[in-house]
Amino acid sequence: MGDLVTGMRYLGQGQKWVLRNGRWFGFGLLPALVTLVLYTAALVALGFWADDLAAWATPFADDWESPWAGLLRGTFTALLFAGGLLLAVITFTAVTLLVGDPFYESLSEKVEESEGGGPEGPDRPLWRDLWISLCDSLYVLVRVLAFGVVLFLLGFVPVAGQTVVPVIGFAVSGFFLTLELTSVAMQRREIPVRERLRLLRTRKALAIGFGVPLVLCFLVPLVAVFLMPGAVAGATLLVRDLTGTPADGDPAPQGPQGMWTKPGPPAGPA
């Protein structure tokens, strides 16, 4: 329960940070606005064609008596649009981070400076950072889709599909949204995506506490745009917690119960 509240607190602290630093707030809005326009168009198209897709996917219900065919296709349509909406919430962050990589990297570095400093990022060209971000996002997306298919099918289970499954879906979405948002500060520390996933698994409540409120807020398109800069700032603060980054900016090595150990220099010849 403590980590759940801590995750929410980091989210609030990130929003406060960008509001106190208005220039960085405006700086982080542009990528989110561009992505919003693209996603709004895609969701409108899905809503327009959802009924036709439901009829195409359930031809066996053509001869069913009323109201069963309508109920089945109505449920399918609702689940299809809900799945598309949740997928949009997750991929919105990934695409926005990809579009605004230089913006959010600078914002994250500034947050670290205000907290006592952070590790210097690797000396790589921008195209290389974008390629790594794209590969990492695809890695996450595959896992999101796997969970999404399972939850979509469970949505047809009576009662549980309309109560328990949506709650689980929001928790899963919140976890992976946190994974995406922490990628900016994690990548600067050269922590690979598989290790990031392991780190967050060790403190699931922290990730869910940070991500689920954002998922709920991101369901309102304009809210997603205005919260994005603060979400990146808050995720940076969360990463400092996960990696034990002290005031001098270097991630502290963790013991057996810790979550990540900073790689040391290569050993010399024996």
Side-chain angles (χ1 to χ4, degrees):
M1 191 65 179
D3 262 357
L4 197 67
V5 174
T6 300
M8 296 178 186
R9 187 171 70 245
Y10 282 134
L11 178 58
Q13 288 175 349
Q15 301 303 325
K16 289 179 182 177
W17 191 95
V18 294
L19 289 176
R20 289 196 306 264
N21 298 269
R23 183 172 71 90
W24 291 98
F25 176 70
F27 197 60
L29 286 181
L30 184 58
L33 283 170
V34 172
T35 309
L36 174 65
V37 172
L38 298 175
Y39 273 70
T40 299
L43 287 172
V44 168
L46 178 61
F48 185 78
W49 293 103
D51 289 340
D52 292 334
L53 287 172
W56 171 82
T58 57
F60 53 85
D62 287 344
D63 299 326
W64 288 12
E65 295 181 359
S66 178
W68 304 115
L71 287 173
L72 173 67
R73 287 172 173 168
T75 301
F76 186 94
T77 299
L79 290 172
L80 181 64
F81 191 77
L85 191 59
L86 287 176
L87 182 62
V89 169
I90 297 297
T91 57
F92 176 88
T93 302
V95 173
T96 303
L97 290 174
L98 191 64
V99 170
D101 184 80
F103 297 86
Y104 295 126
E105 177 63 31
S106 298
L107 190 156
S108 180
E109 287 180 353
K110 197 67 178 179
V111 172
E112 298 238 44
E113 288 177 13
S114 70
E115 293 295 313
E120 294 184 5
D123 185 16
R124 287 193 296 253
L126 177 59
W127 72 265
R128 177 64 176 166
D129 281 334
L130 292 175
W131 175 251
I132 293 173
S133 296
L134 177 61
C135 292
D136 290 351
S137 294
L138 291 174
Y139 176 90
V140 174
L141 181 59
V142 168
R143 280 148 183 78
V144 172
L145 289 174
F147 276 102
V149 169
V150 173
L151 292 171
F152 178 80
L153 295 176
L154 290 176
F156 288 98
V157 178
V159 183
Q162 292 75 49
T163 55
V164 177
V165 172
V167 173
I168 296 173
F170 278 116
V172 171
S173 299
F175 179 88
F176 282 107
L177 181 58
T178 302
L179 179 62
E180 284 287 358
L181 287 165
T182 54
S183 65
V184 178
M186 291 282 200
Q187 189 170 316
R188 187 163 57 251
R189 288 165 168 79
E190 298 189 79
I191 302 176
V193 64
R194 290 178 177 80
E195 183 65 11
R196 298 172 207 165
L197 186 58
R198 187 185 71 83
L199 280 169
L200 289 174
R201 280 174 176 165
T202 64
R203 297 180 68 182
K204 293 185 184 73
L206 180 69
I208 291 172
F210 184 88
V212 169
L214 275 176
V215 171
L216 295 172
C217 291
F218 279 17
L219 293 176
V220 182
L222 283 177
V223 173
V225 172
F226 286 103
L227 291 184
M228 192 65 189
V232 173
T236 301
L237 298 173
L238 188 149
V239 168
R240 292 177 67 85
D241 183 344
L242 278 176
T243 59
T245 305
D248 62 8
D250 289 325
Q254 305 292 321
Q257 299 301 319
M259 294 154 286
W260 180 64
T261 301
K262 185 181 178 183

